[in-house]
Amino acid sequence: MAMSCKDGTKNGMDNGKYVRYTPEQVEALERLYHDCPKPTSIRRQQLIRDCPILSNIEPKQLKVWFQNRRCREKQRKEASRLQTVNRKLTAMNKLLMEENDRLQKQVSHLVYENGYFRQHTQNTTLATKDTSCESAVTSGQHSLTTKHPPRDASPAGLLSIAEETLAEFLSKATGTAVEWVQMPGMKPGPDSIGIVAISHGCTGVAARACGLVGLEPTRVAEILKDRPLWFRDCRAVDVLNVLPTSNGGTIELLYMQLYAPTTLAPARDFWLLRYTSVLEDGSLVICERSLKNTQNGPSIPPVPHFVRAEMLPSGYLIRPCEGGGSIIHIVDHMDLEPWSVPEVLRPLYESSVMLAQKTTMAALRQLRQISHEVSQSSVTTGWGRRPAALRALSQRLCRGFNEALNGFTDEGWSTIGNDGADDVTILVNSSPEKLMGLNLSFANGFPSVSNSVLCAKASMLLQNVPPAILLRFLREHRSEWADNNMDAYSAAAVKVGPCSFSGSRVANYGGQVILPLAHTVEHEEFLEVIKLEGIAHSPEEAMMPREVFLLQLCSGMDENAVGTCAELIFAPIDASFADDAPLLPSGFRIIPLQSGKEASSPNRTLDLTSALDIGPTKNKASNDYSGNSGCVRSVMTIAFEFAFESHMQDHVASMARQYVRSIISSVQRVALALSPHLSSHAGLRSPLGTPEAQTLAQWICNSYRCYMGVELLKSNIEGNESVLKSLWHHSDAILCCTLKAMPVFTFSNQAGLDMLETTLVALQDITLEKIFDDHGRKVLFAEFPQIIQQGFACLQGGLCLSSMGRPVSYERVVAWKVLNEEENAHCICFMFMNWSFV
């Protein structure tokens, strides 16, 4: 190995242009590089002293060797990345060419249909045969009308159903049996999840995706068959029978259960046939469909508390990709029986976008995540855990939350009576060891968890609040809705060892610290630990945990994603929690309702459990409320679990009921504040649209001109509304605080909210002195009298802190007194110039 050396060499080394290292020296240097790829000058000299084989190498030569080694490593990684991108682009190009061929077939088919309709305009029923997909055309829409010959439960009969399912699935995956349109907000590219499409004008809801994953086809098939592993809404898949086929495939009879996403709808189940086979070109196919009585095949009786839904021919086409990996086509096509849910929830069961997000894209994301973990197999993440272990924890959180939300009797749940109002439902489970999937252990004579679990749950309708924005607020401002008592109680209830709880023992938490554990490849889901720090104020309170740790799963915070369900699920844990630690998940689920058919009053944020009827579609809302198809509507479901001793059931039930009601009230208040626009007939306005805010903006600008002699905003702005708008979008952070002994913030523009990482609602909880460090507070207190007497002051640059504890640097701060129309001091305004996060 040669190394350049401008100054020549010493100690017997050649004075030429290059230095050649012996294999032993290279091996030693490689070991040192893996331990420390960028050693300092002192470290390099120490390496020469500690390693005799390197004694004839100058420190400068060693520096050059490490520089070149880092350069080669960087080039290697870049070359590997480019090869991966090139492979993705090649596969994506192949997929796009196939999609182009399919679209050309569809265009030809539509042209043929158009001519057919023109020739038979007098006929009321028209049908044409499509040889590529065996579809029939009725009223301009595609619907599968394959005739089913008589069948039975014999292997030959099941094989006939399986082969028919395979043909119909392939016609959807690569043919024109369904008219596909691009998924809103999805653009194909090398870094995208794939090509995602949704159905248009077909029976039920359908979604299709094509993508490249770095796993072999057999591994892909293994993952996809284990649906509860990646489909969070899947409760169980039971394989009741397996039959081999003569062509080397297998036929399986499955019973599958899906969780209900909210308390307002029943769960779904499916009776399925799954057919796995290999095509002539070597592609692996897994296709499924529901078995119905009309096919004379095997049947299964209805299950209580479940609505039997139908899966139309769906499945996975998995083809090996050149250079490794697989190209996968996914089709999901279901009829979820929307008649069985309240009318306001029917968009959830009639939306192909929702199906694509929750099922089709979830499968691709799981495959990409596992592929990424395989490529990074030696990497550990938060708290020394492997990615697979953290995925299992996320799965346990979601499953526990869904189980509590659905409250199935076969898991031990039973409903107890209410207190006269049915806004909050209370369920009790006396088998927590079954619920949490663990065996109760004992330490020091005390059980590790209580012997019963209670769940309080409710659902509410939200208007004009994007789910992602509301969820982000709930995550970052826990103190706005959470009760410290309940956090401490929940933590103590699952803690090993003796603990007690009384309503009078309160631990005040100074704040929350978010400790990231892991995130998915596309950053659509985050797993983190929340640390709540508390201070005991009395000997009794010393029994409560001084620090509370919560394991938290957060997903759906992307405001640009269409049809995404936003979730915030958390559970108390011990500081050294194990992989099999007991988890009692609680949290929020916000599901968008994308439908323009009806809209309730914009300021209606109420519980729906007592006001919804199930039955045929009736547009009741249009009779009572004026419709507004432009509003954003969503349903929020809340579920909180508490461990308790059985003799405390009535007390804990009352406590949980009141706690959930207080959370509902807090969420309603936050939703109103976060609402970007509310209709004028509701008598409510956005915080920035109030006359008070417009007047304050005028006072701020007038006072700045009075004291500083220059305009704060551009001089051509006229009207209070335009002044407020310009102030709101000003690049510098502008904040107003009260003239009190402990000044608190009352107003901020968008830059100020970004700097403090807060919202207009939470702004009033932040005091002026809290955002400055020690030096900043000293400067502020020294200049404060000047601000009061002279009317303004300029503070030197420094650091301040956001509400999340992040340091923020600023070049300088201009402070001035804000005078009202009577020339009296109204507040003090601060402008942080050229601020940025450190």
Side-chain angles (χ1 to χ4, degrees):
M1 182 174 179
M3 176 63 62
S4 63
C5 180
K6 297 180 180 179
D7 299 331
T9 59
K10 298 180 180 180
N11 298 327
M13 299 189 71
D14 295 334
N15 283 329
K17 186 177 181 180
Y18 295 99
V19 175
R20 295 195 175 273
Y21 294 88
T22 65
E24 293 78 9
Q25 289 176 327
V26 172
E27 183 180 355
L29 288 171
E30 286 290 343
R31 287 198 304 269
L32 296 174
Y33 176 82
H34 288 296
D35 293 336
C36 181
K38 196 173 183 180
T40 62
S41 176
I42 299 176
R43 174 66 172 154
R44 289 194 299 270
Q45 293 177 5
Q46 182 182 357
L47 292 177
I48 293 176
R49 290 194 301 267
D50 295 345
C51 191
I53 199 171
L54 302 177
S55 59
N56 61 341
I57 300 177
E58 292 290 331
K60 179 180 280 190
Q61 298 167 4
L62 203 62
K63 178 181 179 181
V64 173
W65 188 92
F66 276 96
Q67 286 176 343
N68 290 345
R69 182 64 178 82
R70 289 194 300 270
C71 183
R72 290 197 306 275
E73 182 73 14
K74 184 177 180 180
Q75 291 174 344
R76 185 189 65 78
K77 290 181 178 179
E78 180 66 13
S80 176
R81 188 189 69 83
L82 291 176
Q83 288 176 357
T84 302
V85 171
N86 183 63
R87 188 164 56 89
K88 287 183 178 179
L89 288 173
T90 302
M92 189 65 66
N93 182 60
K94 185 176 181 180
L95 288 175
L96 290 173
M97 291 176 64
E98 293 176 353
E99 181 70 3
N100 185 57
D101 292 340
R102 189 194 65 81
L103 291 174
Q104 288 181 354
K105 290 181 182 179
Q106 185 171 333
V107 169
S108 301
H109 180 66
L110 292 174
V111 170
Y112 178 73
E113 282 183 11
N114 186 46
Y116 190 90
F117 273 110
R118 288 186 177 184
Q119 295 176 9
H120 301 80
T121 54
Q122 303 301 320
N123 296 342
T124 57
T125 303
L126 305 175
T128 64
K129 198 71 173 178
D130 181 350
T131 57
S132 65
C133 62
E134 294 297 320
S135 66
V137 180
T138 306
S139 302
Q141 294 182 346
H142 299 277
S143 59
L144 296 175
T145 58
T146 307
K147 295 183 179 180
H148 300 285
R151 305 270 166 68
D152 53 34
S154 65
L158 292 176
L159 180 59
S160 177
I161 299 175
E163 293 291 349
E164 183 182 86
T165 303
L166 174 62
E168 294 190 22
F169 158 68
L170 292 176
S171 70
K172 297 176 185 179
T174 60
T176 59
V178 173
E179 183 180 349
W180 300 108
V181 296
Q182 182 173 310
M183 172 87 168
M186 294 295 298
K187 294 182 179 180
D191 296 325
S192 69
I193 192 172
I195 304 173
V196 184
I198 56 176
S199 63
H200 175 69
C202 74
T203 302
V205 291
R208 190 192 67 162
C210 310
L212 171 70
V213 294
L215 299 171
E216 294 304 313
T218 53
R219 176 61 175 149
V220 172
E222 177 186 345
I223 294 171
L224 293 175
K225 282 188 173 185
D226 190 3
R227 193 177 260 114
L229 179 69
W230 55 266
F231 186 21
R232 296 287 173 81
D233 284 354
C234 183
R235 184 187 185 212
V237 176
D238 295 329
V239 180
L240 304 183
N241 197 3
V242 180
L243 300 172
T245 61
S246 57
N247 58 2
T250 57
I251 296 175
E252 299 167 279
L253 300 183
L254 313 175
Y255 174 66
M256 180 173 69
Q257 292 181 343
L258 301 186
Y259 292 110
T262 174
T263 61
L264 306 178
R268 265 52 182 167
D269 66 352
F270 296 82
W271 172 232
L272 302 172
L273 178 144
R274 180 164 70 192
Y275 181 39
T276 305
S277 64
V278 179
L279 301 182
E280 293 180 356
D281 62 356
S283 300
L284 186 60
V285 179
I286 305 169
C287 54
E288 300 171 322
R289 81 174 311 154
S290 288
L291 291 172
K292 300 184 296 183
N293 293 333
T294 56
Q295 298 168 327
N296 294 327
S299 61
I300 190 172
V303 178
H305 310 298
F306 285 87
V307 172
R308 182 64 50 83
E310 180 183 2
M311 179 181 290
L312 289 83
S314 307
Y316 315 100
L317 172 61
I318 310 166
R319 297 183 295 179
C321 181
E322 296 180 5
S326 305
I327 297 176
I328 180 172
H329 296 253
I330 303 175
V331 173
D332 290 301
H333 194 177
M334 300 181 184
D335 183 354
L336 297 173
E337 306 294 341
W339 60 267
S340 62
V341 301
E343 186 176 346
V344 71
L345 292 183
R346 287 178 188 169
L348 300 183
Y349 296 84
E350 297 172 341
S351 170
S352 294
V353 172
M354 189 68 65
L355 178 70
Q357 284 283 5
K358 298 184 69 175
T359 309
T360 315
M361 294 173 64
L364 271 182
R365 288 193 180 105
Q366 177 76 1
L367 293 170
R368 284 165 57 91
Q369 183 66 33
I370 294 178
S371 174
H372 176 74
E373 293 171 4
V374 170
S375 64
Q376 306 286 335
S377 58
S378 61
V379 177
T380 58
T381 55
W383 293 21
R385 280 175 165 76
R386 297 286 184 182
L390 295 178
R391 260 195 300 113
L393 284 173
S394 300
Q395 180 71 13
R396 287 184 58 199
L397 278 176
C398 284
R399 186 174 184 83
F401 183 76
N402 280 323
E403 286 290 344
L405 200 64
N406 285 261
F408 296 115
T409 55
D410 60 354
E411 289 290 341
W413 290 103
S414 60
T415 306
I416 64 176
N418 55 44
D419 58 353
D422 55 359
D423 57 336
V424 178
T425 303
I426 303 293
L427 296 93
V428 172
N429 193 315
S430 299
S431 305
E433 69 279 2
K434 180 180 179 182
L435 175 70
M436 294 181 285
L438 49 90
N439 295 320
L440 292 180
S441 59
F442 291 80
N444 301 323
F446 292 89
S448 60
V449 293
S450 303
N451 59 14
S452 297
V453 174
L454 180 143
C455 175
K457 59 183 182 178
S459 293
M460 56 193 295
L461 182 67
L462 301 175
Q463 295 279 150
N464 297 323
V465 184
I469 294 178
L470 178 57
L471 186 86
R472 187 180 299 117
F473 182 92
L474 295 174
R475 171 179 176 263
E476 297 176 357
H477 302 279
R478 186 179 181 86
S479 61
E480 289 292 322
W481 55 268
D483 187 339
N484 296 339
N485 286 332
M486 306 308 294
D487 287 329
Y489 171 76
S490 298
V494 298
K495 186 177 177 64
V496 175
C499 61
S500 60
F501 172 76
S502 173
S504 62
R505 297 175 183 173
V506 181
N508 296 318
Y509 295 98
Q512 68 171 9
V513 179
I514 299 178
L515 308 173
L517 277 179
H519 60 77
T520 52
V521 175
E522 298 176 4
H523 292 78
E524 82 282 351
E525 186 175 283
F526 299 86
L527 186 66
E528 53 203 16
V529 169
I530 306 299
K531 180 183 178 183
L532 305 176
E533 298 176 342
I535 301 175
H537 294 280
S538 68
E540 291 81 5
E541 292 174 9
M543 298 183 66
M544 303 298 293
R546 289 178 61 88
E547 292 180 341
V548 173
F549 292 89
L550 303 175
L551 180 66
Q552 181 167 277
L553 181 68
C554 184
S555 63
M557 290 197 298
D558 184 4
E559 299 176 35
N560 299 319
V562 179
T564 302
C565 170
E567 291 183 330
L568 186 69
I569 304 174
F570 48 87
I573 56 172
D574 189 77
S576 56
F577 73 100
D579 292 341
D580 59 348
L583 294 180
L584 280 180
S586 304
F588 308 87
R589 175 177 290 156
I590 314 171
I591 310 174
L593 299 172
Q594 297 176 331
S595 175
K597 296 180 181 179
E598 60 163 287
S600 300
S601 175
N603 63 329
R604 192 181 186 203
T605 310
L606 305 174
D607 179 82
L608 301 179
T609 52
S610 59
L612 298 175
D613 297 325
I614 297 177
T617 304
K618 296 178 183 178
N619 195 0
K620 296 181 180 180
S622 60
N623 299 330
D624 302 326
Y625 308 99
S626 59
N628 179 14
S629 60
C631 67
V632 179
R633 307 171 69 233
S634 57
V635 59
M636 170 182 271
T637 299
I638 304 171
F640 278 74
E641 291 189 88
F642 307 93
F644 68 98
E645 300 294 336
S646 56
H647 66 277
M648 296 284 290
Q649 176 173 310
D650 293 339
H651 171 71
V652 175
S654 176
M655 175 187 67
R657 187 179 286 112
Q658 295 303 320
Y659 183 44
V660 170
R661 284 173 179 164
S662 71
I663 292 175
I664 291 174
S665 177
S666 299
V667 170
Q668 290 174 340
R669 176 175 57 85
V670 171
L672 276 177
L674 294 179
S675 176
H677 58 84
L678 295 174
S679 300
S680 58
H681 73 267
L684 297 171
R685 295 174 180 264
S686 169
L688 291 180
T690 60
E692 293 82 2
Q694 296 173 2
T695 302
L696 177 61
Q698 194 70 52
W699 291 350
I700 291 172
C701 296
N702 292 341
S703 300
Y704 185 86
R705 185 193 317 115
C706 175
Y707 289 116
M708 311 302 293
V710 294
E711 296 288 346
L712 178 61
L713 306 175
K714 295 180 181 179
S715 57
N716 58 353
I717 296 175
E718 297 181 359
N720 288 350
E721 188 173 348
S722 298
V723 171
L724 176 60
K725 184 176 180 180
S726 298
L727 190 70
W728 177 256
H729 294 291
H730 198 283
S731 58
D732 293 325
I734 299 175
L735 303 102
C736 294
C737 68
T738 57
L739 283 166
K740 296 180 180 179
M742 185 67 70
V744 296
F745 290 109
T746 58
F747 173 82
S748 172
N749 67 348
Q750 182 62 64
L753 297 179
D754 293 341
M755 184 185 77
L756 295 182
E757 295 187 293
T758 186
T759 63
L760 285 173
V761 177
L763 182 68
Q764 299 177 10
D765 296 332
I766 302 175
T767 60
L768 179 62
E769 67 169 8
K770 279 186 177 180
I771 72 169
F772 288 100
D773 59 7
D774 292 338
H775 175 72
R777 277 193 289 269
K778 290 178 181 179
V779 174
L780 175 65
F781 292 153
E783 298 290 343
F784 205 81
Q786 180 183 345
I787 300 173
I788 299 299
Q789 295 174 7
Q790 182 177 314
F792 72 95
C794 291
L795 311 181
Q796 61 184 357
L799 293 176
C800 64
L801 298 175
S802 73
S803 63
M804 303 301 293
R806 284 213 289 173
V808 181
S809 66
Y810 54 88
E811 187 177 293
R812 65 183 176 129
V813 176
V814 178
W816 68 96
K817 230 175 2 179
V818 177
L819 306 178
N820 60 18
E821 295 172 349
E822 287 79 25
E823 304 257 336
N824 296 324
H826 176 75
C827 62
I828 297 179
C829 190
F830 293 85
M831 181 166 64
F832 292 78
M833 306 180 70
N834 296 331
W835 65 272
S836 62
F837 289 107
V838 178

